[in-house]
Every structure is written in structure tokens, then in C-alpha cells.
Amino acid sequence: MIRRTKIIDALQRTDYGTDITVMGWVRSKRASKGIFFIALNDGSTIKNVQIVGDDAKFDPAMLKLITTGACLSVEGKLVESPAAGQASEIQAVGIEVLGTCDADYPMQKKGQSFEYMRQHAHMRLRTNTFGAVMRIRHNMAMAIHTYFHQHGYFYFNTPLITASDCEGAGQMFQVTTKNLYDLKKNEQGSIIYDDDFFGKQTSLTVSGQLEGELGATALGAIYTFGPTFRAENSNTPRHLAEFWMIEPEIAFMDLDDLMDLEEDFIKYCVRWALDNCGDDLEFLNKMVDKGLLERLQGVLGETFVRLPYTEGIEILQEALRSGKKKFEFPCEWGDDLASEHERYLVEEHFRKPVIMTHYPKKIKSFYMKIDEELPVYEGKEMEQTVQGTDVLFPQIGEIIGGSVREEHYDKLMNEIKERHIPMKDMWWYLDTRRFGTCPHAGFGLGFERLILFVTGMQNIRDVIPFPRTPKNAEF
Ligand code: ATP
Ligand code: MN
């Protein structure tokens, strides 16, 4: 059997004269004066290995099959390369075409638009850019598991199918085995679910947090890392209908601990990328975003700003008053901030990541811990705030949404009632507050938002292999 050498390893070897076999896909082929040059890539690295051969020594019919996209097995001698920018190349002795490539190969031409690539998402993985993004994506997954493992968190798997709709009412995908052509309804016209697969209405989860809290209040510290689904019809470069979320949840953690964790964790991931994805980052820095490496390095050097919402509003209002800035959406105290506001604070005012805290209760989720003190804005006491923490990043906006959780049963029930949250299927969640409740906190990081930041890509559809967005589930 032939022993295949991965191209990433072949390029590092200096035992010139050795016979090796590499396999991969042709990126390009050119010929000059009876010699051919093939750039071969096997996905192990962004770098191609150069294959050099003498036309005369090969079957012309076989050589004709070596076109961009074709798959080859090449046996040859590892030699020192005379060409700049590569230490070694392979002098071909034998070439087998494992797979020819039809002329309509969609990745034939270089420099296609990202929109074109999305329409050929099944083949775009073969390009330099998507290869780089996918290798970085893998590395970020490793960084995340390593970080939590080393800090004593347990990887905890929460269900994808859920019967609770308290968080995502209206933006959940339903899961059913019912015959949609023949739906039984009751006298009020509502669909009967008793005879559905789970005997009740179920959906795909929008977050693993509520089950994560059960894990944290037993194991001390857990994290989830899995797919989440949101049927929100927001066609933006930062939203997917199916995305991956990382949700650590920790017992006995307060607001300051939480912000420390968020900052330390993101910096760890960025450092991991810089330490382990050098070639891919350099490529992206050259081809996609010239400021990328500087921005990544910058984040490591910065201390994130910790900014109470009320102070944030003061800054935004001051920017408006002084005429420094115009916003499309209002930002009065009490308003939910739009991405233009978040980006102004991060990119123009502070020029570093911001962790915003102490949001008005009414724009945040029911489970967030209510602050003891009322905020003062323009000399007046305002409404209650909660201990939420949104981590805001340059280019991205919100990358993390977290909070300290309300651990008091009565206060939590109050919120649930005030907000008319359907809690009939949530008795198990409330039990955490009845049986040995404890202070705890956690956050959700959108995996693809992290990849956006680390790769410098502009559109979230381009950092996941097969994006799911409204009207798009082709591949
Ligand atoms: P946004 O305001 O950006 O829509 P959100 O406040 O609805 O986000 P959370 O419910 O706080 O989001 O979810 C936690 C994290 O999950 C967010 O900080 C973000 O990184 C990520 N996220 C949320 N929605 C999406 C989505 N549709 N696609 C990709 N990532 C998402
Ligand atoms: Mn959020």
C-alpha cells in the first residue's frame, strides 16, 4: 500500500531525495519548455505543493486529464525548490488521475464574488478562502473545548427538541410528525397535539441555557456547544437560522466574575488563532481584510471597557447633541440599542471591545437578576435594571449575550407573571429555585460571530459550511 504524505508535512520535510506520495486536487497547471508545473492542494494547509515533471516521461493522454480541480495521486522525489517562497517541491515519477474534473467545475476561475461562491457552496470549500475559514473554525472549536476543559467545566449536552416556548415565542421552528394536510383542531380552532409524537407541541431549541442551568446547579460549571435555531426573518450579515452556540453556565458566579470570564475566554480564543492558524490568517489578512491581524493583536492588548447601559446612553446622547453623529434609530434611555449604536461605542468612541451591563429590565430576558439600585439618568431615577452583559465587538456588534440569573423563586415568578410568559411546561426550570437555589451566571457566544471576528469575513453565511437563512437550504 502507498503511504500518503499530507502536503502540510511534505512542505516541512528536508530529507531531500526521499520518495514520497501526495494526493490532492489541482489548483493550477502550467507548462513551459517541455516541463509541467502543478500546484496541488489537499486541504491540510493553505499552501500548495509544487509538482514538477518532464512532459516526455508521461503519457500525453494522461497529462491532458490534469486540469484545475482534478484529483491526483503523485509519486516522486522530494527536492529542494529553486523557486522562491517554498522550501521543497516534488519531482514527479508517477501520476495517477484519481478523478478527472468536468469542464464546468464552478471553482475554475479565481476571484469569484462571495455571492457566486454561496450559489456553489458545495464546491466553495475547495477554494483558498473557504479552506482557511474552515480550518480556523475547527481551531476555534478546539480552543473552546480546551479552555473549558482546562478550567474545570463539563461539556454538557442539552436537547435540540424542546417543549418550552418561553424564550423564543414566534421565532421557533416547529417539530412534528403530524400530517399537515389533515390537522385536527379543537372547538376553539387550535391544533390538538395530544396525538403528536411527543404528545405536546415541540420546537427546535433557540438556546440551551435553561437546561444548562440544571447542569450548572448540579455539576458546578458546565458549557454547551451545539446547534441552535431561530426562525427570525432577519436577513442580515450577522444572523443565521441555524447557528452554533457556546453556553457556559456557572454556579456561585457574580457579575464581575462573569465579565472576567467573558473577556478571558474570548482573548484565549483569539490567542489560539494567532498561535495556531498563522498561514491561514496571513492569507485572509492579505486577501480579505487588511486590518485583520492588527485587530486580533489589538484585542489581546486591550482591557475591555465595562460600561453600564445608562452611561452608554449618555455617551450616545452627547454624540447626538454635539452633532458628531447621526443615528437612524432612537437611543433614549429605555431603548434597545441598535447595531449602529453599539458600533459607535466600540469603533468610534472607545475603540476597543465593550461589555455593556445594567440594562433596563424591560428590554432583557425574564431570567436576568434584577439590580438592587435604580439608575440615575439626567438627575432622575429610572426604571429597574438587570445584570445582563452584552459583549460588543468591532465589526460584529454583539458577540456574547450573558447575565447573572435571578435565583430567587419569588422574584423570578414575578417576572414570569408580569411578562405573561407561558410557563406551563417550565415547572422543571422553576424547581432549580426551589431545591437549593444558588447564585449563578452564564453567557451565550454565537460561534459564527466569533469566526466572523477571527477571520475578518463580512458575512455570516461565509463562515459556516452550509448556511441556513430565509429561503435558503439548498446544500
Ligand atoms: P442579536 O441581538 O444580535 O440578534 P440576540 O440578542 O438575539 O442577538 P442572544 O439571544 O443573546 O442573541 O444569543 C446569544 C448569542 O448568540 C448572541 O450574542 C450572538 O452571538 C448569537 N446569535 C444570536 N442570534 C443569532 C443568529 N440568528 N445567528 C447567529 N448568531 C446569533
Ligand atoms: Mn443578546
Side-chain angles (χ1 to χ4, degrees):
M1 209 192 83
I2 329 163
R3 285 192 57 152
R4 167 199 168 212
T5 303
K6 282 195 181 180
I7 289 172
I8 191 170
D9 300 325
L11 290 173
Q12 267 152 26
R13 279 168 59 168
T14 52
D15 50 336
Y16 302 123
T18 318
D19 268 332
I20 67 168
T21 298
V22 293
M23 298 180 191
W25 294 270
V26 176
R27 280 296 163 78
S28 64
K29 181 186 166 206
R30 64 192 170 85
S32 136
K33 300 181 195 134
I35 311 274
F36 62 81
F37 302 88
I38 300 166
L40 199 70
N41 188 285
D42 68 358
S44 60
T45 162
I46 189 137
K47 293 184 176 153
N48 306 322
V49 68
Q50 173 155 278
I51 313 289
V52 188
D54 213 330
D55 278 344
K57 291 189 187 150
F58 293 86
D59 172 11
M62 186 278 292
L63 287 182
K64 261 194 153 152
L65 300 178
I66 305 179
T67 58
T68 300
C71 184
L72 309 181
S73 172
V74 179
E75 194 194 337
K77 234 184 234 342
L78 190 71
V79 296
E80 203 166 352
S81 176
Q86 54 187 32
S88 51
E89 59 185 37
I90 296 172
Q91 213 119 50
V93 176
I95 299 180
E96 186 188 346
V97 179
L98 299 176
T100 57
C101 186
D102 289 358
D104 58 345
Y105 178 49
M107 298 297 128
Q108 190 87 251
K109 274 203 232 141
K110 288 194 170 160
Q112 298 280 15
S113 71
F114 285 124
E115 184 48 40
Y116 173 89
M117 303 269 200
R118 273 169 228 142
Q119 284 155 14
H120 302 87
H122 60 311
M123 285 294 137
R124 67 178 181 170
L125 302 168
R126 297 251 194 107
T127 63
N128 284 332
T129 302
F130 286 91
V133 169
M134 292 309 143
R135 280 184 295 271
I136 292 171
R137 189 178 160 105
H138 158 80
N139 266 280
M140 289 300 89
M142 291 299 117
I144 289 162
H145 283 299
T146 308
Y147 180 90
F148 287 124
H149 178 66
Q150 286 180 350
H151 287 78
Y153 290 60
F154 300 106
Y155 180 34
F156 187 71
N157 302 122
T158 50
L160 300 190
I161 299 175
T162 171
S164 72
D165 59 354
C166 66
E167 265 224 89
Q171 49 167 31
M172 298 180 91
F173 292 101
Q174 280 198 47
V175 174
T176 179
T177 53
K178 285 178 92 65
N179 177 358
L180 297 183
Y181 295 99
D182 181 22
L183 285 177
K184 260 192 284 169
K185 298 198 178 149
N186 65 15
E187 275 149 28
Q188 287 82 46
S190 319
I191 297 165
I192 300 168
Y193 285 97
D194 299 354
D195 61 345
D196 200 357
F197 190 91
F198 296 105
K200 54 171 72 163
Q201 189 178 1
T202 52
S203 310
L204 294 176
T205 186
V206 295
S207 157
Q209 178 198 321
L210 301 186
E211 292 91 348
E213 288 186 42
L214 294 171
T217 53
L219 298 163
I222 60 94
Y223 70 104
T224 70
F225 188 166
T228 39
F229 307 86
R230 296 195 184 175
E232 54 190 341
N233 201 348
S234 42
N235 243 315
T236 81
R238 298 179 301 111
H239 289 90
L240 291 164
E242 176 181 294
F243 64 101
W244 289 65
M245 186 132 75
I246 294 96
E247 296 182 276
E249 191 71 36
I250 314 93
F252 317 115
M253 186 169 260
D254 68 13
L255 185 62
D256 287 327
D257 298 335
L258 178 65
M259 290 190 283
D260 289 346
L261 170 67
E262 291 167 343
E263 181 166 347
D264 189 52
F265 167 69
I266 294 203
K267 285 180 171 170
Y268 181 90
C269 293
V270 170
R271 198 173 302 116
W272 182 294
L274 287 167
D275 289 348
N276 295 281
C277 309
D279 290 343
D280 288 323
L281 287 176
E282 256 168 52
F283 172 83
L284 293 170
N285 192 67
K286 201 163 91 198
M287 304 301 289
V288 172
D289 178 351
K290 300 255 183 308
L292 175 63
L293 283 172
E294 204 183 298
R295 206 161 50 243
L296 295 182
Q297 235 105 38
V299 161
L300 293 187
E302 302 288 8
T303 302
F304 296 4
V305 177
R306 297 179 179 192
L307 181 73
Y309 169 91
T310 301
E311 280 175 38
I313 294 292
E314 281 163 359
I315 292 168
L316 293 170
Q317 286 299 330
E318 177 52 35
L320 282 174
R321 253 196 308 275
S322 67
K324 234 195 303 185
K325 195 75 195 169
K326 280 205 174 75
F327 297 116
E328 191 185 336
F329 297 101
C331 51
E332 301 296 329
W333 199 99
D335 290 337
D336 204 355
L337 296 188
S339 130
E340 56 175 346
H341 307 126
E342 298 174 345
R343 293 185 66 163
Y344 172 77
L345 292 170
V346 173
E347 289 166 23
E348 298 180 48
H349 186 84
F350 290 108
R351 293 172 179 277
K352 46 175 130 171
V354 170
I355 308 183
M356 192 175 261
T357 58
H358 305 290
Y359 286 88
K361 190 178 91 171
K362 65 168 191 255
I363 61 169
K364 287 290 178 191
S365 302
F366 73 93
Y367 48 70
M368 293 192 183
K369 188 175 174 69
I370 299 171
D371 285 310
E372 305 271 323
E373 282 172 36
L374 296 178
V376 177
Y377 177 69
E378 293 184 330
K380 285 195 292 275
E381 271 194 350
M382 307 310 272
E383 292 157 30
Q384 282 182 314
T385 55
V386 289
Q387 297 188 5
T389 60
D390 278 8
V391 182
L392 311 177
F393 255 50
Q395 313 277 321
I396 312 293
E398 179 186 330
I399 191 165
I400 280 182
S403 79
V404 180
R405 319 305 189 191
E406 183 54 71
E407 82 262 33
H408 297 291
Y409 183 86
D410 294 343
K411 290 187 191 168
L412 189 62
M413 272 318 285
N414 240 354
E415 287 309 308
I416 288 168
K417 281 190 195 128
E418 245 175 50
R419 295 166 190 242
H420 306 292
I421 294 174
M423 291 299 283
K424 68 173 167 32
D425 295 313
M426 295 296 300
W427 58 271
W428 51 270
Y429 177 70
L430 295 169
D431 272 0
T432 52
R433 274 59 170 180
R434 296 205 302 130
F435 303 132
T437 193
C438 76
H440 61 290
F443 68 76
L445 165 78
F447 189 46
E448 286 75 19
R449 300 249 176 116
L450 174 69
I451 310 298
L452 273 180
F453 180 72
V454 172
T455 59
M457 299 294 284
Q458 296 294 311
N459 193 313
I460 200 161
R461 294 163 179 79
D462 299 333
V463 297
I464 185 166
F466 306 106
R468 294 287 175 263
T469 49
K471 303 279 181 295
N472 171 31
E474 178 75 14
F475 303 101

